[in-house]
Amino acid sequence: MSIWIWVAFAVVLVGLYLSWTAGRLDRLHARIDAARAGLDAQLLRRASATLELSTSTLLDPAASVVLYQAAHGARTASEEGRELAESELSQALRAVFAEPEQVRELRALVGGEEYVVELSSAVRRVPMARTFHNDSVRAARAVRRHRIVRIFRLAGYAPFPQTVEIDDEAPPVLVAPA
């Protein structure tokens, strides 16, 4: 009789551990979803700030066209082409704001300061949001790689989480203190 009690106790302990692990994995997936939504919001904010600046007539026409095309491409890209479009927006921002003089001239124009502040804030937040998302993905991947999680299919049918790999380096003149 005592052996059956120990077997039942062991089964209950294993069941509790599996339940705890499945709950942890579920929370990690929820954290990934929240981090992805935050990243999407920051990418949208950056593209919107760039579009506003490009249509403001404060920049020279060539810079306006470059920024408009890159920002529009980032906002309208399909899910498959989104990473490339966002990287192209980062490259366009670095190309247009390559020199500190360009930002100083923009700040000196009427309304230019507001555009610079908004764009600077947006380009600073994208790398932080991407890092937070990728850290969440790494944590979930680590749990999903455990043998017990795979054997008991504790992840269910949730897709394997993917990191977001984009060029999100901001122009140094936009992230430097004013």
Side-chain angles (χ1 to χ4, degrees):
M1 182 67 172
S2 116
I3 219 122
W4 289 111
I5 293 173
W6 283 110
V7 167
F9 182 70
V11 167
V12 167
L13 279 179
V14 168
L16 286 173
Y17 175 74
L18 291 176
S19 175
W20 176 80
T21 304
R24 180 174 178 224
L25 198 53
D26 187 52
R27 288 187 302 275
L28 285 170
H29 281 126
R31 192 170 100 187
I32 289 171
D33 291 342
R36 180 60 191 224
L39 176 60
D40 287 342
Q42 293 307 321
L43 291 171
L44 181 63
R45 181 175 179 221
R46 179 180 75 160
S48 296
T50 305
L51 276 174
E52 285 181 27
L53 177 61
S54 69
T55 59
S56 70
T57 68
L58 295 178
L59 296 174
D60 65 89
S64 292
V65 168
V66 167
L67 288 180
Y68 180 83
Q69 288 177 343
H72 181 70
R75 285 188 64 175
T76 60
S78 65
E79 193 62 35
E80 297 83 34
R82 180 116 190 253
E83 289 181 3
L84 179 62
E86 293 294 347
S87 294
E88 288 173 354
L89 177 55
S90 296
Q91 293 165 0
L93 286 167
R94 284 196 308 270
V96 170
F97 296 108
E99 300 296 326
E101 184 59 35
Q102 294 160 317
V103 175
R104 279 195 294 274
E105 289 173 3
L106 182 59
R107 284 182 190 270
L109 297 173
V110 175
E113 180 69 26
E114 292 80 20
Y115 286 113
V116 171
V117 168
E118 178 64 27
L119 187 59
S120 295
S121 175
V123 298
R124 278 191 198 114
R125 291 178 183 196
V126 169
M128 290 185 285
R130 187 175 71 89
T131 299
F132 185 71
H133 174 268
N134 288 349
D135 288 347
S136 299
V137 167
R138 277 189 276 286
R141 282 181 171 183
V143 172
R144 287 184 68 154
R145 284 192 180 108
H146 288 123
R147 184 173 294 132
I148 196 128
V149 171
R150 290 192 320 261
I151 290 171
F152 288 100
R153 297 191 47 115
L154 297 181
Y157 295 102
F160 197 71
Q162 300 297 319
T163 59
V164 174
E165 300 303 327
I166 61 172
D167 174 6
D168 59 5
E169 183 184 343
V173 296
L174 288 178
V175 294

